[in-house]
Amino acid sequence: MGLAPVTSWLACPTCGLALSLDERTLGCRTGHRFDLARQGHVNLLGRAAPANADTTEMVAARARFLGAGHYQPIVDALVARTRSARRIVEVGAGTGHYLARVLDAHPAATGLATDVSPMAARRAAKAHDRMGSVVADTWAGLPLRSGVADALLCVFAPRNPVEFARVTGPGGLLLVVTPNAGHLAQARERLGLLGIEGDKLARLNRSMAGAFEAIWSQRIRWTMDLDAGSLQDLVQMGPNAFHEHGEVVDGLEVDADVQLSIFRRAARQ
């Protein structure tokens, strides 16, 4: 099904008008055209991907790690809090893993994954038959029409509160997953991985003020018994892949500690 079920959600990144699908080309009435890739996704970025966009190797590592179920508690929490949503968007979606699992649990829902990495969007295009995939930059503005999402997922991804409020319908939900200070502590200590800012949650809540109201928050903690291959994938699937770190030589028990914050779109913008 690919992009067909979500075409009406999309807006031309050049002029902002609605897009329609004609065979394998998206277009607006002013003549801007965007060809679908063979894998089924479409690039609406309008420029080259940034240097820190996920690479083919990073996407493959993430697919292996998430596919092994190591972050299943996050999936379970998202599923439980999106039961009433029918139009679900995941920004910074990577492989589309979280959105695909949410759609598995909610057969009446349809989804759209966005990511700045063409390699990630390619993988997400095949993640679920009720999910479309688009290359887009959250910071630059999402190529989506206003009010199209009942729920918006943002899992370890960049946040743009103004854009999130625009594309989320009245009363719609924003579900944000952020790492707490102790997340992956053992791996960070052993391998010298990037740190986590201590005031991350407070900054998140401040950034959403005015656009969204905070309605619920859940701390999720569990321990992962990672073999050397999974630990290597954990390191390689995110920003640490671009930085120097210690060598993975064996497995490790690693604590996961994340926060699920849920916001409702404010009635007045």
Side-chain angles (χ1 to χ4, degrees), residues 49-234:
N52 63 344
D54 286 356
T55 64
T56 301
E57 294 77 16
M58 292 171 67
V59 170
R62 186 175 302 174
R64 289 190 298 267
F65 186 87
L66 297 179
H70 297 303
Y71 276 4
Q72 185 63 34
I74 297 176
V75 172
D76 294 340
L78 294 174
V79 166
R81 295 292 166 172
T82 51
R83 291 193 180 98
S84 62
R86 294 296 176 264
R87 303 171 300 167
I88 306 174
V89 174
E90 183 180 3
V91 296
T95 64
H97 174 82
Y98 298 106
L99 179 54
R101 300 292 75 78
V102 167
L103 294 178
D104 281 342
H106 305 320
T110 304
L112 175 68
T114 76
D115 200 280
V116 76
S117 164
M119 298 300 102
R122 177 185 298 178
R123 173 82 66 153
K126 302 297 184 182
H128 202 281
D129 60 4
R130 283 183 278 116
M131 185 172 86
S133 177
V134 170
V135 183
D137 185 353
T138 299
W139 292 120
L142 297 168
L144 299 176
R145 301 177 70 181
S146 298
V148 297
D150 301 320
L152 193 151
L153 314 180
C154 182
V155 183
F156 305 132
R159 300 179 296 274
N160 185 335
V162 173
E163 272 294 272
F164 291 177
R166 182 185 66 79
V167 303
T168 306
L173 297 180
L174 168 63
L175 296 88
V176 181
V177 177
T178 51
N180 288 317
H183 186 53
L184 310 182
Q186 296 88 346
R188 294 178 192 281
E189 181 178 357
R190 175 182 288 189
L191 302 174
L193 305 183
L194 296 172
I196 297 174
E197 299 136 326
D199 63 343
K200 205 172 186 68
L201 186 58
R203 290 193 297 110
L204 168 64
N205 290 328
R206 287 195 300 269
S207 71
M208 296 298 165
F212 291 90
E213 58 175 328
I215 61 172
W216 195 77
S217 185
Q218 176 187 3
R219 187 177 184 183
I220 309 169
R221 291 182 285 181
W222 70 101
T223 299
M224 303 175 290
D225 187 4
L226 303 180
D227 61 23
S230 292
L231 184 58
Q232 182 67 30
D233 285 339
L234 175 64

